[in-house]
Amino acid sequence: MKVLLERKSSFVFLVLQLLVSAALCGMAIYVGFLPTKFIVAIFAVCIVLLVYQLFGQMANSSYIIGRVLCVFFCAFFIGGSYYLYDTYAAVDEIGGAETKIDIISFYVLQEDKAQDIVDAKDYTFGILSILDRDNTNKALADAKKETGKDLEVQEYTDTSTLVDALYAKEVQAIVFNQAFLNTVKEQYKTFGTDTRELVKHEIETKVEHEVIETDVTTKPFNVYLSGIDVYGKIATTSRSDVNVIATINPITKKILLTTTPRDYFVPLYGEKGKSVSGGVRDKLTHAGIYGVDCSINTLEKLYDTDIDYYVRVNFSSVRKIVDLLGGVKVYSDYDFISDWGPNGAGTHYQFKKGYNKVNGKKALAFCRERHHFGNGDYQRGRNHQHMIEAILNKVMRPSVLKNFPKLLKESKKMFQTNMSTKKIISLCNMQLNDMAQWRISYANADGSGSSALTYSMPSTRLYVCVPNTASVNKISKRIKKVMSETEEDIEEDQEEETEKDKKETDSKN
């Protein structure tokens, strides 16, 4: 009787292990990012352990050990299932960005007596006549609800004339999108202390994106990497100071990183190639103020190419990504000291020529520096490319898997992308399957410095970088070449390089 009861108990443990094993295998198939060979291996391990348990439970002397092992296996499989689900849920939250946030602020002079919008209801408010007018109107409508009356407004052409009007007391308050704030502070160094924010309105807008049907594991595609010049919420509208096109060929395992200077002087374009600036040229960084689509379409026109996806990051993103990866090794072309440091003024990070191990804060300092380089923003763009390569190299290593769910969970706060969950998973699957070494090359758009009136600042001459047409055309050809290359082309290139090396060796001998 006792033996029969023990057999029944053993059967219950076996059924439990079978169910948990089935759940693990089912989850591995459901999430989709594990290659077939990984799933087969999981199946094989589960079956072997079940068979081991089955035969182990047959012997009376080993059933206690078998049950202990069963509990251990079940706990391990449950942990594995949770890891897979957690990773999938994190990827699902990252993909398919659908919103953007515009923060419209009302500013008064520091000594103004008004403490809220109700106190200022009888003021005259300066607003921008054309730039970002839709969001301004929404903020004024919200203010009307709070004050119970239409606010009196005075229109100005750009933020320069708008701020001048506040200082001259032509108006008692001004209203503009915080996306313009850094531009204002560059012109008016004491704006932050001369004024204070009376109230702000967050306006969330749903963004419609065209569904791209590209199979990212078999066809080349372009990704726009945008670095916005703010901390905080990644969906916040802002200038785009980093503008990189990543041309990715999954067949040849080649990535071309093309950097375009933030001050590139170009016409701005919006959805479906429609002109935003009416042909008037502006600094590329200002395109970000009018939405990520404006930056994308402007670059598409410039390089005569299609950009399928985008990824937006900000200052907070770089720090968090690098820290979650446990730091990265980034290459520096020069010895230099950054203006940015861990403790503010008086403390600065130093970098040596060659590879530098950096944490999040040091990585951000590396990416932001430009004043200590003879070619300024061009070298900063090259440093951005070095940092992207350093992050990609770390992400593509198997060692990142142990921290993968946490990295993906935080990624929702760290970057925004319109690439779908399905496509992100398929790329993970591809990389885990072949663990390929990608070849990364750089391209940097060239130009000449000048000063000019811009679409966003028509009343003030700003520093701009006038595009070098030859440089732009050369990059356009390089992008097309990477996207059109096949494995056969790579093999031919390798054969040519081998033959060239052989001839050089023979000539030396």
Side-chain angles (χ1 to χ4, degrees), residues 84-297:
L84 292 171
Y85 174 77
D86 203 32
T87 303
Y88 177 83
V91 173
D92 194 39
E93 288 185 345
I94 293 169
E98 296 181 343
T99 62
K100 73 183 185 81
I101 297 172
D102 289 277
I103 301 174
I104 311 301
S105 295
F106 291 61
Y107 290 94
V108 294
L109 292 173
Q110 187 66 245
E111 67 271 14
D112 196 285
K113 294 180 180 180
Q115 297 302 311
D116 55 39
I117 193 66
V118 175
D119 290 343
K121 65 181 180 180
D122 295 322
Y123 286 5
T124 298
F125 292 79
I127 65 171
L128 296 172
S129 56
I130 298 174
L131 301 178
D132 199 44
R133 187 57 185 268
D134 287 345
N135 284 319
T136 298
N137 288 341
K138 290 175 183 177
L140 291 173
D142 289 340
K144 179 181 178 180
K145 292 177 183 177
E146 294 181 49
T147 61
K149 61 174 291 186
D150 286 316
L151 301 181
E152 183 179 342
V153 299
Q154 178 67 43
E155 296 181 356
Y156 295 90
T157 56
D158 57 25
T159 53
S160 181
T161 54
L162 184 68
V163 174
D164 285 343
L166 179 64
Y167 280 135
K169 298 186 178 179
E170 293 175 12
V171 294
Q172 290 76 51
I174 57 175
V175 184
F176 62 86
N177 195 320
Q178 278 194 10
F180 292 103
L181 185 57
N182 284 335
T183 301
V184 169
K185 287 182 175 180
E186 286 173 2
Q187 254 193 304
Y188 302 88
K189 304 299 183 184
T190 60
F191 182 82
T193 54
D194 294 340
T195 67
R196 57 186 168 83
E197 189 179 62
L198 186 67
V199 67
K200 66 181 179 183
H201 295 266
E202 281 196 12
I203 299 171
E204 188 170 311
T205 307
K206 187 171 182 178
V207 181
E208 299 290 340
H209 295 290
E210 182 182 355
V211 178
I212 307 295
E213 299 299 338
T214 304
D215 182 348
V216 293
T217 63
T218 61
K219 294 181 180 179
F221 58 96
N222 283 316
V223 180
Y224 169 54
L225 308 177
S226 170
I228 60 176
D229 63 344
V230 294
Y231 291 94
K233 292 182 180 179
I234 192 63
T236 304
T237 300
S238 183
R239 298 184 306 180
S240 182
D241 276 2
V242 178
N243 299 279
V244 177
I245 300 174
T247 304
I248 301 169
N249 189 323
I251 304 301
T252 60
K253 306 299 181 184
K254 290 183 79 172
I255 298 175
L256 172 65
L257 298 176
T258 299
T259 293
T260 309
R262 68 186 293 278
D263 297 315
Y264 234 41
F265 196 39
V266 291
L268 306 185
Y269 293 92
E271 188 179 358
K272 297 180 180 178
K274 294 179 181 178
S275 176
V276 168
S277 61
V280 178
R281 292 193 286 178
D282 203 343
K283 297 167 70 149
L284 177 60
T285 184
H286 291 163
I289 296 171
Y290 308 105
V292 68
D293 285 342
C294 183
S295 297
I296 289 172
N297 286 288

